[in-house]
């Protein structure tokens, strides 16, 4: 399949740490909603745990809970094969011992037509990044503090 025929949005990843291996599941219905509304497509969802000795292991979704309180069956099989052992190790390096994390790789479906049009026109992505929300809030606070008071 040629690149011109593939309509695909930007691909992002996030690593979300759960201190003490405690996952409440509060965010999972919202993730499902994003998928259901066609805003994102989950390519990979993998859970990892960093043991106290620093070793990092991948977890099966079915192994995450034993009490049935957190139903993650909807995410079972969310694996494109993009994530490898090196990705697990890299994510583990960001974790504190005794914590677990979710590694989520997703396509931004909402941006696919725009990205495809840009590619058709010869454009290419040369840089990408995220600004952490606390950094944005701090910068906005500094801007507000630097403004002279309005009369």
């Amino acid at each position: 399949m040629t690149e011109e025929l593939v309509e695909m949005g930007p691909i992002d990843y996030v690593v979300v740490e759960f201190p003490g291996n405690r996952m409440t599941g509060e965010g999972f219905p919202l993730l499902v909603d994003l998928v259901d509304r066609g805003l994102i497509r989950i390519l990979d969802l993998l859970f990892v745990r960093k043991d106290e000795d620093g070793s990092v292991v991948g977890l099966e979704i079915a192994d995450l809970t034993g009490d049935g309180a957190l139903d993650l069956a909807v995410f079972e099989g969310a694996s494109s094969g993009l994530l490898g052992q090196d990705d697990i190790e890299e994510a583990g390096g960001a974790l504190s011992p005794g914590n677990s994390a979710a590694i989520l790789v997703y396509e931004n479906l909402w941006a696919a037509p725009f990205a495809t049009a840009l590619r058709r026109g010869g454009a290419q992505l040369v840089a990408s990044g995220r600004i952490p929300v606390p950094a944005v809030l701090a910068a906005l606070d500094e801007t507000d503090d630097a403004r002279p008071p309005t009369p």
Side-chain angles (χ1 to χ4, degrees):
M1 200 175 259
T2 65
E3 189 174 317
E4 291 81 29
L5 298 177
V6 177
E7 184 170 292
M8 192 165 205
I11 308 296
D12 286 325
Y13 77 92
V14 293
V15 178
V16 181
E17 183 174 32
F18 300 100
N21 296 315
R22 287 185 308 276
M23 292 181 221
T24 65
E26 186 176 343
F28 292 121
L30 298 171
L31 182 60
V32 170
D33 181 59
L34 291 172
V35 171
D36 288 347
R37 290 190 295 143
L39 298 174
I40 67 167
R41 176 172 57 133
I42 296 174
L43 300 175
D44 281 292
L45 179 60
L46 178 67
F47 293 88
V48 297
R49 181 183 69 233
K50 186 170 189 174
D51 292 330
E52 293 297 333
D53 66 2
S55 61
V56 178
V57 295
L59 303 172
E60 292 293 325
I61 289 178
D63 293 342
L64 292 178
T65 64
D67 61 4
L70 183 57
D71 183 15
L72 299 177
V74 68
F75 298 114
E76 217 163 346
S79 176
S80 68
L82 289 173
L83 291 175
Q85 186 60 38
D86 56 333
D87 299 306
I88 293 170
E89 293 298 328
E90 187 172 338
L95 299 179
S96 297
N99 292 345
S100 58
I103 306 170
L104 175 65
V105 179
Y106 60 97
E107 176 187 1
N108 291 284
L109 292 174
W110 60 270
F114 174 66
T116 302
L118 291 174
R119 284 193 298 269
R120 268 195 310 267
Q124 56 185 321
L125 181 64
V126 295
S128 180
R130 296 283 163 137
I131 303 171
V133 171
V136 171
L137 295 176
L140 290 173
D141 284 346
E142 286 178 25
T143 301
D144 286 344
D145 292 344
R147 284 190 187 147
T150 53

